Amino acid sequence: MIRLEKRPQPSRTYALATPVLAVLATMFFGGVLFAILGKDPVQSIITIFWEPLFGEFSFYYRPQLLVKGAPLVLIAIGLALGFKAGIWNIGAEGQYIMGAIFGAGMGLAFYPTESVFIFPLMILAGAFGGWLWATIPAVLKVKFGTNEILVSLMLVYVAEQLLASVSLGLLKNPEGFGFPGSRNLQQYASAHNAELITGSGMHWGVVAAFIAVIFAYVLLARHRLGFAIRVTGEAPRAARFSGVNPARLILFCLGISGMLAGLAGMFEAAGPAGQITIDFNVGYGFTAIIVAFLGRLHPIGILLAGLLMALTYIGGDIAQSQLQLPAAAIQVFQGMLLFFLLAFDLLTNYHLRIGNTEVTP
Amino acid sequence: MTTPLLSLRGLTKAYPGVVANDDVSLEIGPGEIHALLGENGAGKSTLVKMIYGLVKPDSGTMEFKGASFAPQDPRTARASGVGMVFQHFSLFDALTVAENIALGMENAPAMGQLAARIREVSQSYGLPLAPDRTVGDLSAGERQRVEIIRCLLQDPKLLIMDEPTSVLTPQEVAILFETLNKLQSEGTSILYISHKLEEIRTLCDSATILRLGKVVGTCVPAQTSARDMAEMMVGTALKTPQRSGTQVGEVILELDKLSLPPANDFGMPLRAISLNLRKGEVLGIGGVAGNGQDELLGALSGETTVGNGMITYKGQDLSSLGPNERRAIGLLSAPEERLGHAAAPDMSLVENAMLTGATREGLEKGGMLDWAAARKFADRIITAFDVRTPSAANAARSLSGGNLQKFVIGREVLQRPNVLVVNQPTWGVDASAAAAIRQALLDLAMGGAAVIVISQDLDELMEVSDRFAALNEGRLSPPRPAAGLTVDEIGLMMGGAHGLEAAHV
């Protein structure tokens, strides 16, 4: 008989070891999955984890790591602040879309004027769009006690409809031959979120992601607000007793996570994607949930987890094209990562006892 | 000499890191009420769990009715004639009394028959209880009767009762004792666990005292003073909290018809509570659990907001101030529930020191937290209140209940409050630590602070209070000077036996 026994206090060793164990287990069972699909498991794992970093074409893939990792980290940092307080923003995808629409919209409104003020204004607009979209579930929760999980998730689909609408209407490129998308911002210097160092993948979104990591780290470790977030997640009644105002905390946590997701959307639209299209969003907002948990809701952990997740994205693409692995198998592989993480997580708070021993009082 | 009903020989039970019972032997005769005395963690629970088949001893033997006895589980124990009434009830609020009892029986008879049996047993033992009432509507005393009747229906030879009076008013205690005496006269033995020494002196024939898992003595309670028994329990001479000539000053806190709607369907409202609290006095508030204690503390601490003008502190209306603003002006509090309310279980003691100490101890500057200062504050609490922990970095949940309680009370006392409100300050704390906590509260009052002690322990309230009031159904009785109050008067202030008299036996 296997039994769980609660530890007197959480094990630090396991808290640090579980992400590593989860990655190893995912590699193993992912390999089994690929073997069942008739692919060489070792070759598949090497393709996913090794090729992008050290393979023949790594000069192309390495910058991609930053390009794909930045939005994940930026969004996940915001989500983690809420998750730590037990406030579940599941709708970052929608906030990401709204940030992109607002940011790109701001830039396109000035087209073709060139000015150094345009890009900063786009940043503000993108942040505002994401904040606005996340504040809707926050206000509904505070005023009417609605469930923020459901409201924020449903708003993703509203945002997707809006995206389709503006791609085909308001923001549609008048010179785009009917293509459902906006003008290409990469060709509009004032609005272009260009690489800061050519060929590095480093754009303003990457800088913002690093700033967000540092900001979140200081907030959680040193600031009263970060402490309020942590206590609320650990013991809501104790938080209230210590003077935390739950309504304000909900507005803050959802607001800031929406803001960061909006920024991610704006940087993507103005940079790597270059434009708003009907299929602009590719799931960063949802994947960031995995990144946040994989990183233990800790800013540094999220930074590493975001890069790891980006790696599986890029490696997954390579595996799809080189080994003809189905896209669904790659998604299962990424899902496994979260599954094993949550499973191994149990060991942080519990001992595993094997054998039929009696119940202690 | 008759054969004892139950005899334990050399029972030993060890858990990793602690020997809960070490070579414990005792005998209980037929029709004997035997007290099991000891502080928290002395091993009382482990011992009765072994008798009730919940825990298996590592070594030692038990004999019941002259035959070897080693119950595999509670069911076998019950079948042999051992019944147990737990301190915490296991009843379903939404079901009736009869349904709850049927759930706990091996072969429950038809509901009508069972109801008749319940009525019969409840009448013959003086425990008034209607089988068709919903448990959610019953008082704590009535719920306990459900548990007792559930046991009595099995016709036990030995009834184990774990701290049965902690939830009862004095009048309800009297009813319970009549029942127990009747059971005794019919030849049922009772193993009675308690730390209330006066009760044991009136009720029990003999007592076994445990300390740190070992039997440290036996006595005949009627012939032993409560103080002697307490000192056997603790192992050292006890210091009674002392106070010297309190100077009661001007009114510092005023409640004017403080009312609060219930927080939820099962919550208790506060109904027009009025009182004046003066500097230098200790006001004791008694009452059975669940009569508005938590709600009153929440209203005073600032966790729940109340109407304008209901709470006035030094002439200032507090109604719109939150917990930290109240701390800033000197109104501090310590709630009853240690884990999850007064302290965050998974956070370290340093973080828990920050929890309420940030404002008054200057642990925060412009929103940035000073962890080094918090650590010093935590260490000061640990030293001043003798909190046993390897370090301040340990999680709150790793401390024993008593140690964490010392920490929680110490954290507020060291912040030099002008008014301190505490709920159940010594609940689950051993006698010497409890004495230290009470002394700290009295010292605060002597220093000119006003203290409100909300507690269910009447002995404690009589020891520390200048004035006494009782909460009953969310109402506060007018405070009266504590000196000279009789137990009967206190019981009536607490609501008597909640409208029930002992059925005449």
Side-chain angles (χ1 to χ4, degrees), chain B residues 384-399:
Chain B
F385 281 80
D386 188 29
V387 179
R388 311 277 166 81
T389 173
S391 102
N394 278 55
R397 81 165 193 235
S398 71
L399 268 67

Side-chain angles (χ1 to χ4, degrees), chain A residues 26-102:
Chain A
T26 307
M27 283 187 181
F28 178 77
F29 287 99
V32 171
L33 172 76
F34 299 146
I36 293 170
L37 290 171
K39 312 290 174 192
D40 178 356
V42 178
Q43 183 61 42
S44 311
I45 298 298
I46 289 177
T47 306
I48 294 175
F49 287 98
W50 187 264
E51 284 287 314
L53 290 175
F54 309 106
E56 196 184 340
F57 299 102
S58 61
F59 65 89
Y60 171 72
Y61 293 126
R62 277 187 208 160
Q64 283 296 308
L65 212 56
L66 292 182
V67 169
K68 293 222 189 312
L72 287 175
V73 171
L74 202 53
I75 300 171
I77 287 283
L79 294 182
L81 293 178
F83 291 174
K84 261 190 176 303
I87 297 163
W88 307 101
N89 177 6
I90 305 300
E93 186 78 358
Q95 295 139 25
Y96 173 83
I97 293 173
M98 294 309 284
I101 294 177
F102 273 66

